[in-house]
Amino acid sequence: AQSVTQPDIHITVSEGASLELRCNYSYGATPYLFWYVQSPGQGLQLLLKYFSGDTLVQGIKGFEAEFKRSQSSFNLRKPSVHWSDAAEYFCAVVPLGGSYIPTFGRGTSLIVHP
Amino acid sequence: EAGVAQSPRYKIIEKRQSVAFWCNPISGHATLYWYQQILGQGPKLLIQFQNNGVVDDSQLPKDRFSAERLKGVDSTLKIQPAKLEDSAVYLCASSPSGTPTGELFFGEGSRLTVL
């Protein structure tokens, strides 16, 4: 069955530390891949997206993600986390063809310690 | 450019009552989505419109949920009668016309509490 998995419900890091949030998907062909961020009481904001080409994708707010076909993964990274990065992060996949409807993972809550 | 507008931001109702949420997408965006986000979960699609036509409503509980986008612009999502398990944030999103990519622009959501 097609699915998107974010294995970590919560991640806690210290301010200034590096961050990696995991996302794995199970689809027949490589889908389009997205990361969104949701701050408390807000809607989702796009951080970055992957359609094809270079497997390392740069996004807003200093985030990047790497697509690894062999591992069916699209992990989000940031070299140095700021307190304002505390939020919920969602990975989303869009199967090619059809209606291009995104399916979201359950999210990872990022907690940043000062 | 104005973003996706949603109202009300918050609503508290008793079970079996009705509620309606409104969404105005980004100007020119032909595709509109309603997602339900239950606490601790990712957003789940309820319905997708392309202009004023329904593309996918397979996960919409049609015995109590309805949605319309009569003029292909703004949209209303209604719940009648509400159940306790409908407590969630209802997110509206839109996407541009042209080649679809699945990239969505979200509103701030409407938080529903059913008592």
Side-chain angles (χ1 to χ4, degrees):
Chain A
Q2 298 179 333
S3 66
V4 53
T5 303
Q6 293 181 248
D8 304 305
I9 298 176
H10 303 285
I11 291 281
T12 301
V13 299
S14 297
E15 191 169 17
S18 63
L19 170 70
E20 182 169 34
L21 303 182
R22 295 183 289 166
C23 175
N24 294 93
Y25 62 89
S26 176
Y27 284 80
T30 300
Y32 290 164
L33 298 161
F34 301 81
W35 276 99
Y36 288 84
V37 61
Q38 185 178 34
S39 297
Q42 302 296 312
L44 281 69
Q45 180 186 19
L46 180 69
L47 280 176
L48 45 77
K49 57 194 175 188
Y50 174 78
F51 294 157
S52 65
D54 193 345
T55 57
L56 187 62
V57 179
Q58 301 298 319
I60 63 171
K61 304 184 180 187
F63 285 91
E64 66 179 26
E66 185 173 14
F67 167 62
K68 292 186 177 180
R69 184 187 306 276
S70 61
Q71 298 177 20
S72 296
S73 69
F74 188 56
N75 294 348
L76 181 71
R77 303 194 296 241
K78 187 170 185 179
S80 178
V81 170
H82 188 262
W83 64 267
S84 60
D85 293 324
E88 193 84 15
Y89 291 81
F90 294 94
C91 179
V93 300
V94 175
L96 303 190
S99 302
Y100 288 83
I101 297 175
T103 297
F104 289 84
R106 67 178 177 182
T108 297
S109 178
L110 175 64
I111 301 164
V112 181
H113 281 316
Chain B
E1 179 182 75
V4 176
Q6 289 190 246
S7 66
R9 289 292 313 278
Y10 305 93
K11 189 74 176 179
I12 301 173
I13 61 174
E14 302 272 337
K15 61 183 178 183
R16 291 187 289 275
Q17 287 186 323
S18 63
V19 62
F21 302 112
W22 174 82
C23 172
N24 194 30
I26 293 172
S27 177
H29 281 195
T31 309
L32 184 148
Y33 309 74
W34 284 101
Y35 278 83
Q36 180 191 55
Q37 185 180 19
I38 294 173
L39 186 64
Q41 299 181 20
K44 184 187 82 170
L45 179 74
L46 292 175
I47 189 167
Q48 179 195 20
F49 291 96
Q50 178 77 19
N51 296 309
N52 61 351
V54 175
V55 176
D56 188 333
D57 64 355
S58 58
Q59 298 187 76
L60 187 73
K62 298 180 185 63
D63 57 333
R64 298 182 299 103
F65 286 66
S66 65
E68 60 184 16
R69 194 185 183 199
L70 294 177
K71 297 182 179 178
V73 181
D74 57 345
S75 175
T76 302
L77 175 70
K78 296 179 181 178
I79 308 174
Q80 182 179 15
K83 293 185 175 181
L84 296 178
E85 58 261 36
D86 298 331
S87 294
V89 176
Y90 292 86
L91 295 165
C92 179
S94 65
S95 61
S97 306
T99 303
T101 64
E103 177 179 348
L104 302 186
F105 296 79
F106 283 87
E108 292 185 320
S110 294
R111 180 178 297 276
L112 173 65
T113 302
V114 182
L115 303 175

